[in-house]
Amino acid sequence: MARYAEAEKRTRNLIRSAKRNKEKKLSREKHKNSKPFFDYIRRKTKARTLVGPLKTEKGRNVTDPEQVAKMINKFFVSVFTREDTQNIPEPRRKNIRSKLKKCWVSAETVRAKIKELRPSSAPGSDGITPKILKNCVAEISSVLAMIYHKSLLTGEVPEEWRQANIVPIFKKGSKAKPGNYRPVLLTSICCKVIEKILRDKIVGHLKANNLISMAQHGFVKNRSCTTNLLEYLQEVMKRLDNGKSMDVVYLDFAKAFDKVLIARLLKKVENMGVEGAVLGWVKSWLTDRKQRVQVDGARSSWRQVLSGVPQGSVLGPVLFVIFINDLEEEVRAGKGLKMFADDTKVGQDVSEPGGTQELQETLDKLWKWVSDWGMAFNVEKCHVVHFGIRNPHHKYSMNGRELEESEIEKDWGVLISNDAKPVKHIKKAAQTANAVLNQLLKTFHYRDRNVFDRLYIQYVRPHLEFASQAWSPWNLTDRVPGECTKESGQISLGTERINI
C-alpha cells in the first residue's frame, strides 16, 4: 500500500512537472508564434458544448447527429417569411448627389482583401480555406479579379456562393429544444472577398451622401455600442439632473436578420442610390439561397432560404443597416431613438403633460413600421424602464398588449438601473472578472509574471473596462482597483491579492 501511495505521488508530480514545462515552453515561444499559446488557453478555459440530444413533439429523444441536424435546420427554416410582393411600401425618397452603379475590381484590391483574411476562419460549402487563398495570393489574385469582374458585370453569382453550412451554437435553456440554438453561418471565403470589396464601395457611397441615420451605431465607422450608450445616458442624466422624468422602452425584434424580406430590402437599397450592376449582383446574391446544418460531421439536406440576410456574411450587416435605416425618420422619434443594428430603444421625457401620450404614439408608429416592412417584435421581451423619482409609471402597450416594467435592463452587456446608478453593473463586472481570474489561476501551473500580466490584460481587464466611459463610477465605494504588478509578483482585483 505504501509503495502504491509513493508511486501515485511520484506520478502526480511528474504530470504536474510536464504541464509546467509545457506551459513554460509555450510562454517563452509566444512572441514568435502566439497561436499555440492561446489555443492552449482556449482548450483549458472553454467547455465544449454539445448539440442535443433533442426531443420530438412526442417526447422521444433524438441522438443521431444526422437527425439532430435535420430537426435544427427545420426550425431555422421555419422562422423565414414568404413575402407578399404585391404590396411593397414606398420608402421615403432621399436626396442623393451621386449614385453607385458599377464597381471595378483590380488584382491589387483582391490581393489586399485576401491578406486581410484570418487563416483560422472556417470554409464554406466549397471547402476552400483562407489559408489556400493566402498561400496562393500572388498566383490567383488576377484570376479572381477577372471572375469577380465578370460576376459583377453579368449580375450572376455562383451557386456555391449562395450556399451556407450552419453550425448551431447553444444559447441558454434546454439543449433539447432546437429553438435554443443560434445559427452560425459558414459561407464561401471566395465570396467574402468580393463582399468586402462591395461593402467598402456601398459604405463609402452611403457616407459620401450622408445617408446613414445618426441614431444608428451598429456596423458604422467611428460609432459603437459605447457611443450608443453615451448618447443614450446623456439624454437620461440631463433630465434627471433637472429633476425631470423619462421613460425608455427597450425593443426586441423577433429574428430580425432572418425576417428581412428580400424585395423590400432591394427597394430600400435602390432608394439609397445603389443601382445598375451593383444592385443586380446584390439581388442575385440574396436570391435562391440554400442552407444546411452540420452536427458532429453529419449534415442535413439543403433547405431553401426564403428571407433574411446571411448573418455570417460580410455584406449582410450593411444591408440590414440600410433596411432599418429609416426607422427613426418614419416614427419621428428624434434623439429619443437609439439603434445598434436590431437592438433598439426609444425614450421620451414624461415630466410635461402629453409626454406619455407621445411615447405611446411612437410605439404605435413602430408597430405600423414593422407590419409594413415584414418585421415583428417580441412584445413579451419589450420592457419599459421608468427613470425619475416623480415618474408617473404610465402603462404602455404594443398591438393591444401591455409592456412589462423593468427595474434593470442589460444594454449591450451593461446593466442599466432605473436609478441611473452603475452600482449593480460594477458588482457584476467585478464578479465576472474575479471568476475569470480564478479560472486562469486553476488552469496554469507555471505562474510566470510576464505570462500572467498578458493574461490579465487580455482576459480579465476587458470585463472591467468594456464601455466604462458610459458607466464610470463617481463614488469611491464603487471603484474596483485592478492591477498586475511585475515588481511584487501579485495580481490584485478589488480586495483580493494573489501571488503568482
Side-chain angles (χ1 to χ4, degrees), residues 192 248 356 473:
K192 284 185 176 180
V248 177
T356 55

Side-chain angles (χ1 to χ4, degrees), residues 16-210:
R16 189 180 294 111
S17 177
K19 288 181 178 179
R20 187 180 294 111
N21 290 335
K22 181 177 181 179
E23 292 169 0
K24 188 185 296 185
K25 182 181 177 182
L26 288 172
S27 64
R28 286 175 177 173
E29 295 178 352
K30 71 178 185 297
H31 298 294
K32 299 177 182 178
N33 184 10
S34 61
K35 188 175 184 301
F37 178 76
F38 290 109
D39 283 345
Y40 179 78
I41 294 174
R42 280 190 288 270
R43 288 197 302 270
K44 287 284 188 177
T45 57
K46 286 188 177 181
R48 183 168 179 259
T49 304
L50 299 175
V51 178
L54 301 180
K55 278 189 178 294
T56 64
E57 295 178 355
K58 296 181 179 180
R60 182 175 62 87
N61 281 339
V62 178
T63 57
D64 179 61
E66 187 174 344
Q67 292 299 316
V68 169
K70 183 178 179 181
M71 287 180 65
I72 292 179
N73 199 24
K74 182 180 179 181
F75 172 79
F76 288 160
V77 171
S78 69
V79 304
F80 296 141
T81 306
R82 191 174 294 276
E83 185 172 9
D84 177 14
T85 57
Q86 301 300 317
N87 299 301
I88 300 179
E90 283 292 332
R92 195 183 298 270
R93 287 294 174 185
K94 301 287 185 180
N95 294 321
I96 300 171
R97 294 186 296 271
S98 61
K99 295 188 177 183
L100 178 62
K101 296 183 178 182
K102 296 180 181 179
C103 178
W104 303 101
V105 182
S106 65
E108 290 75 16
T109 304
V110 174
R111 193 177 299 114
K113 294 303 178 184
I114 289 177
K115 289 181 179 179
E116 293 176 3
L117 295 173
R118 290 187 302 173
S120 58
S121 298
S125 61
D126 55 12
I128 300 176
T129 64
K131 193 172 183 180
I132 293 175
L133 297 182
K134 293 176 78 71
N135 290 341
C136 305
V137 63
E139 292 79 12
I140 66 172
S141 56
S142 299
V143 177
L144 279 176
M146 288 190 290
I147 294 173
Y148 294 155
H149 183 71
K150 183 71 172 178
S151 178
L152 284 167
L153 193 64
T154 61
E156 295 180 5
V157 179
E159 184 180 1
E160 290 80 3
W161 294 3
R162 291 180 280 115
Q163 295 176 345
N165 291 331
I166 295 181
V167 177
I169 302 297
F170 177 69
K171 296 184 293 185
K172 59 181 179 180
S174 172
K175 291 184 179 180
K177 296 181 178 180
N180 290 335
Y181 293 87
R182 177 184 292 109
V184 175
L185 276 67
L186 306 179
T187 56
S188 170
I189 302 298
C190 291
C191 186
K192 284 185 176 180
V193 175
I194 189 174
E195 286 178 57
K196 285 174 178 283
I197 297 170
L198 274 176
R199 177 200 59 190
D200 293 347
K201 292 288 185 181
I202 293 174
V203 170
H205 167 77
L206 297 175
K207 186 177 180 181
N209 289 275
N210 196 27

Side-chain angles (χ1 to χ4, degrees), residues 414-483:
V414 177
L415 298 178
I416 306 295
S417 303
N418 59 356
D419 58 4
K421 294 180 180 179
V423 179
K424 293 181 180 179
H425 176 76
I426 291 169
K427 183 178 179 181
K428 177 64 176 176
Q431 288 176 345
T432 304
N434 265 314
V436 173
L437 179 58
N438 289 328
Q439 189 177 28
L440 290 173
L441 290 168
K442 291 177 182 178
T443 299
F444 280 81
H445 298 77
Y446 175 62
R447 297 185 177 180
D448 176 75
R449 288 181 303 210
N450 294 326
V451 173
F452 263 85
D453 184 23
R454 186 170 180 178
L455 290 174
Y456 179 83
I457 291 172
Q458 182 155 348
Y459 290 95
V460 180
R461 277 180 56 178
H463 294 286
L464 299 172
E465 297 178 353
F466 174 73
S468 58
Q469 298 91 335
W471 56 264
S472 180
W474 53 83
N475 293 326
L476 287 174
T477 54
D478 294 332
R479 296 183 182 179
V480 184
E483 59 181 351

Side-chain angles (χ1 to χ4, degrees), residues 305-422:
V305 177
L306 300 176
S307 63
V309 292
Q311 296 186 52
S313 64
V314 176
L315 197 55
V318 177
L319 295 177
F320 184 83
V321 167
I322 292 175
F323 185 78
I324 204 172
N325 185 67
D326 63 345
L327 185 60
E328 178 193 24
E329 187 179 357
E330 290 295 327
V331 301
R332 303 184 187 279
K335 292 184 178 180
L337 185 75
K338 300 297 175 188
M339 297 184 288
F340 192 98
D342 60 323
D343 284 274
T344 306
K345 48 187 172 282
V346 60
Q348 178 67 43
D349 187 333
V350 295
S351 303
E352 303 297 331
T356 55
Q357 181 181 352
E358 189 173 343
L359 181 54
Q360 180 60 60
E361 289 174 356
T362 300
L363 294 177
D364 294 338
K365 291 177 183 178
L366 284 167
W367 187 264
K368 184 180 184 306
W369 184 91
V370 297
S371 301
D372 290 342
W373 293 101
M375 303 290 280
F377 283 124
N378 275 325
V379 181
E380 63 276 7
K381 293 183 180 180
C382 296
H383 298 152
V384 184
V385 179
H386 301 288
F387 293 97
I389 298 176
R390 299 180 182 85
N391 195 295
H393 287 256
H394 183 79
K395 301 294 183 182
Y396 300 95
S397 63
M398 293 186 77
N399 196 33
R401 183 168 178 175
E402 186 176 299
L403 302 183
E404 292 183 10
E405 294 184 12
S406 176
E407 294 184 357
I408 186 168
E409 280 292 315
K410 194 171 187 179
D411 195 343
W412 278 101
V414 177
L415 298 178
I416 306 295
S417 303
N418 59 356
D419 58 4
K421 294 180 180 179

